[in-house]
Amino acid sequence: MNRRTLLTSAALAPVALALSSLAAAAKMVTPWEWTRKNGVTGHMQKDPDPTDKEFEKYPRCTYCGMVREQWSHSRHLIQYDDDSTEGTCSIHCASLSIGLNMDRAPKNIWVGDAGSDAEVKPLIKVEDAHYALDPSKPGTMSATRKWAYADPAKAAAVGAERVVPFEQALEAAYSDMAKNTLMIRKRRAEKRAHMAKKMKMMKDKAN
C-alpha cells in the first residue's frame, strides 16, 4: 500500500465508522417499539370514543375475564394518549393496565359511580371521583373495597376508613397487589375445583 492510499484510508475510516453506526441505529428497535409489537399490551384497539357502546366493545375485563356490566359499580375504562383503550372490572385490574403500559400516558380514565341509583352505574372521570377505601369490606378483586363516588357526601356516608382521590386509590391498589393476587389465586383454584367436582357428578349421574 503506497502512502497516498494509506492516508486516504485513514481519512475515510471515521466516515465508514459513522455510516456503520447509522446503519446499526437504523436496525435498532427501541424497548417501547418492541413491547407495542410483541408485548402483552398489543391487544388494545384504538378508540377515539370509548364510552360509546362501551359494553359492546369492552364486554369483559382484560385481566380477569369478568363481565364488566355486572360489575358496573367498580369498572374502569382507560384511554391512553394514542387512543389505545381497554376496560377493566376494578381499580385492581386498572392498576395492572397502567403498570404494563409504561410508555403510554393515560389520556382519560373513567370509573363507575357506585353511588348512583341506576342499575348500570354511569361513568365519571376519575378526577371527579371520590374513592372510599374500606378495609372492613371486600372489593372487586380486592380484600379492601375501593369504590368511587361522584358525590363526596355519599362517599363519606358509607363509613369507609378514608375517602381519597384517584391517585391515592391507585397507590393503595398497588400496595395491596401481593395479598390480593394470593387471594384471587386461592379463590379461583377453589372455584375450578368446585366446578370440576360438579361436572364429574353430572357426568356420573348421566352414566
Side-chain angles (χ1 to χ4, degrees):
M1 180 182 295
N2 59 38
R3 186 169 180 272
R4 179 178 294 179
T5 302
L6 182 63
L7 290 173
T8 301
S9 299
L12 291 176
V15 177
L17 182 61
L19 289 173
S20 176
S21 298
L22 286 172
K27 293 179 181 179
M28 186 183 299
V29 177
T30 63
W32 48 92
E33 289 172 327
W34 191 93
T35 56
R36 289 194 182 194
K37 184 177 180 181
N38 304 287
V40 297
T41 63
H43 62 277
M44 292 190 295
Q45 59 180 301
K46 299 292 181 69
D47 188 350
D49 189 9
T51 60
D52 180 51
K53 300 179 181 177
E54 172 202 358
F55 295 120
E56 291 183 22
K57 293 182 289 188
Y58 312 102
R60 289 181 178 266
C61 177
T62 302
Y63 299 98
C64 69
M66 289 168 61
V67 178
R68 296 179 63 249
E69 190 169 1
Q70 294 178 3
W71 301 88
S72 67
H73 58 280
S74 62
R75 78 191 189 281
H76 284 65
L77 184 64
I78 308 170
Q79 180 190 42
Y80 292 97
D81 53 7
D82 63 351
D83 283 342
S84 295
T85 303
E86 69 180 342
T88 71
C89 68
S90 60
I91 193 170
H92 170 85
C93 291
S95 69
L96 294 174
S97 175
I98 294 168
L100 289 169
N101 283 280
M102 294 181 294
D103 296 302
R104 290 184 175 98
K107 181 166 68 173
N108 291 299
I109 305 177
W110 296 269
V111 60
D113 176 13
S116 170
D117 294 328
E119 183 177 354
V120 176
K121 309 305 182 186
L123 290 171
I124 57 174
K125 289 286 190 71
V126 292
E127 53 264 33
D128 300 323
H130 307 271
Y131 282 78
L133 308 189
D134 190 351
S136 69
K137 298 184 183 71
T140 308
M141 306 297 285
S142 173
T144 296
R145 183 171 293 180
K146 305 175 186 70
W147 290 359
Y149 297 80
D151 185 346
K154 287 186 177 181
V158 298
E161 183 179 272
R162 291 188 294 152
V163 177
V164 300
F166 171 71
E167 289 77 10
Q168 291 183 38
L170 185 64
E171 288 178 8
Y174 284 121
S175 295
D176 291 347
M177 186 67 66
K179 66 180 180 182
N180 287 338
T181 299
L182 292 173
M183 177 193 72
I184 293 163
R185 285 181 178 276
K186 182 181 178 182
R187 285 183 181 175
R188 291 223 168 181
E190 290 172 350
K191 189 171 183 178
R192 285 194 299 270
H194 175 74
M195 291 179 68
K197 183 178 180 180
K198 188 175 181 180
M199 292 295 292
K200 185 178 185 302
M201 289 174 64
M202 290 174 64
K203 185 177 179 181
D204 291 344
K205 189 177 180 179
N207 292 335

